Each structure stands twice: as structure tokens, then as C-alpha cells.
Amino acid sequence: MLKINNLHASIAGKEILKGFTLEVNAGEIHAIMGPNGTGKSTLGNIISGKEGYEVTEGTVEFEGVSIFDLEPEERARLGIFLAFQYPVEIPGVSNANFLKAAVSEIRKSKGEEPMPPGDFLKMMREKMALVEMNKDFISRSVNQGFSGGEKKRNEIFQMAMLNPKLAILDETDSGLDIDALRIVANGVNKLRTKDNAFVVITHYQRLLDYIIPDFVHVMYDGHIVKTGDKNLALELEEKGYDWVKELEIV
């Protein structure tokens, strides 16, 4: 599904990614862990098409298509979704209208008609239940006045509505208390199928108590230095990140 090969990328003249390589197949969950400033969020931003980054070498293909020449909305139509580390507020635009427009655009790109209002409302209620959101969130402006936990739950709700093939969760656990962490993780688990994939970016093992990854990758200084199964996250929790600085590039 996603093939990244020898990716080098810079921002403001500073090289962040220095030969990052990763392959993600449908049905898989990959966790990417590592200390601050090692390039984890940069990776998610580049895949989703955020401006400001310069790719200097390497390739990124999604289902066989190079995505570098595609705008962010074109990548979204292909099925790529990024859950932001810091979700943005959109005053004056209700969750319902925001999602109606987004879902309609996805359906349009597939040659489908807009979803009938009744079916759309039914789907919203079903997906809101996944993350235990109150129905009044539908009419509130996107993320405006939401707590940190509510914003993260809203990100997962949006993901559920858009049903992407590849979801990148950038520190979704950041700022969540135990209850919110469980709710968000349960929502992700319920959305997992054999046809989609998740890349979970996190500092901490605690999220991986709830979302069990197939692979855990340790990232340091712009590339992967170690890959393992869920036990690698436990090892990181026990040892910290200092020891990974001595590892060779995988």
C-alpha cells in the first residue's frame, strides 16, 4: 500500500529525513517511536502533503502511485488521512457541514452521488458512538472550544467518517487522560480491517497497550534504526531512548 524508499527531506534548509525507508501493507499497524526532533511528524506531514518541506531524494508511492506531485486534497481522495498532533480549530464551520463537504468530495472522486441526508445522519451517529461523542458536537464549530481530549476524539471521528485506506496518527495520545486514551484507541481498533492500514506515531508505549502494532520501528536522526514487534515498545519504555543513538541504520 505505502512504499517509502530512501526518503531525504529538509525544512528551511535543515535536513530532517536522511534516508527513511518503510513499507506498509493493507491490514497492518505500524508504530513509529523515537525521541523528539527525530523526524516522526515530518514524515507524516510529507506523506499528507503539508507545505514547507523539500524532498531532495527518494520516493513515496501509495498503491503504486508517486504522491509527490499530488496536492493534499488529491492524496486525501486517494485514501490518505492524517490525524494532527495539534488539531486546528475552524470557527464558524460546524462539524456536520465540514464532514458533509469532505464525505461528498470523497464520494465524488469515486464517481458516486452525494449521500442522502438521512443516510449521512445515520452514519454520523454510528461513527460518533465509536468515540463516545455527544450529539451536540455535530452542530459545534470544528474543534472550537474543544478540550485537548475532545479534539483528538474528533480527529478519530473524522477518520471514521472518511474511511481512509491509510491513516497516520501523529501523537494522537498526546494530552489524553486514561479514559480518553482508551476511547480513542478503541475507536481505532474498531475501524481496523484487512483492507486499511495505520501508521501510529508516538513517544510512549501506553497507547500500544490498546492499539497492538504488527511492527514497531525506532526512528532516530531521520531514519529507522531498529524494527521489532510490540515487545520493542516495552523495551523502549524500560530503557528510554538514549541507547538507540548508538544503533546502526536498518
Side-chain angles (χ1 to χ4, degrees):
M1 177 181 283
L2 177 69
K3 291 185 178 180
I4 305 172
N5 184 46
N6 192 34
L7 181 62
H8 292 250
S10 304
I11 183 168
K14 181 181 180 181
E15 187 176 33
I16 305 297
L17 299 183
K18 304 175 181 178
F20 186 91
T21 295
L22 177 69
E23 183 167 344
V24 178
N25 297 308
E28 295 178 347
I29 295 180
H30 291 245
I32 297 180
M33 305 181 71
N36 280 326
T38 198
K40 302 187 300 298
S41 293
T42 293
L43 176 68
N45 290 338
I46 288 176
I47 294 172
S48 63
K50 185 176 181 179
E51 293 181 346
Y53 296 92
E54 181 185 6
V55 175
T56 55
E57 189 176 347
T59 59
V60 178
E61 293 183 352
F62 180 70
E63 295 191 319
V65 176
S66 175
I67 62 173
F68 286 152
D69 293 331
L70 301 179
E71 298 295 327
E73 60 270 25
E74 294 175 311
R75 301 182 193 200
R77 292 186 187 112
L78 286 179
I80 296 174
F81 177 90
L82 173 66
F84 293 107
Q85 182 177 357
Y86 303 106
V88 297
E89 297 183 359
I90 310 178
V93 179
S94 71
N95 259 335
N97 285 336
F98 175 77
L99 285 169
K100 185 177 181 181
V103 169
S104 293
E105 279 299 313
I106 296 293
R107 290 176 65 88
K108 183 179 179 182
S109 71
K110 298 177 180 176
E112 300 173 353
E113 295 293 324
M115 185 177 289
D119 292 347
F120 181 74
L121 285 173
K122 180 182 178 183
M123 184 171 74
M124 278 210 305
R125 294 191 186 100
E126 291 175 350
K127 303 304 183 184
M128 290 178 73
L130 287 177
V131 288
E132 302 181 25
M133 291 179 68
N134 295 325
K135 61 181 182 182
D136 65 335
F137 279 70
I138 292 177
S139 57
R140 291 174 59 182
S141 295
V142 178
N143 290 329
Q144 189 175 31
F146 287 22
S147 68
E150 288 170 341
K151 288 180 179 177
K152 296 301 179 74
R153 286 159 65 179
N154 202 30
E155 291 282 285
I156 303 304
F157 169 52
Q158 292 169 11
M159 181 179 74
M161 290 292 292
L162 297 176
N163 192 28
K165 296 176 182 175
L166 173 68
I168 302 165
L169 310 182
D170 187 5
E171 297 193 27
T172 295
D173 52 336
S174 176
L176 297 184
D177 60 26
I178 294 298
D179 290 335
L181 181 70
R182 175 185 54 78
I183 291 169
V184 165
N186 285 343
V188 171
N189 288 329
K190 289 175 182 175
L191 294 171
R192 182 182 186 182
T193 73
K194 63 179 178 57
D195 298 317
N196 61 22
F198 295 83
V199 174
V200 180
I201 296 171
T202 182
H203 286 290
Y204 305 107
Q205 189 272 336
R206 62 174 190 165
L207 179 64
L208 306 182
D209 283 337
Y210 300 96
I211 302 174
I212 307 300
D214 299 291
F215 303 93
V216 174
H217 310 282
V218 182
M219 194 170 174
Y220 179 68
D221 196 26
H223 39 240
I224 291 174
V225 294
K226 191 173 181 63
T227 291
D229 59 17
K230 62 181 182 181
N231 292 313
L232 179 54
L234 296 171
E235 186 178 0
L236 290 168
E237 185 76 8
E238 178 184 353
K239 295 181 178 178
Y241 284 117
D242 278 349
W243 64 285
V244 306
K245 300 175 183 177
E246 308 301 325
L247 297 175
E248 300 290 335
I249 301 172
V250 175

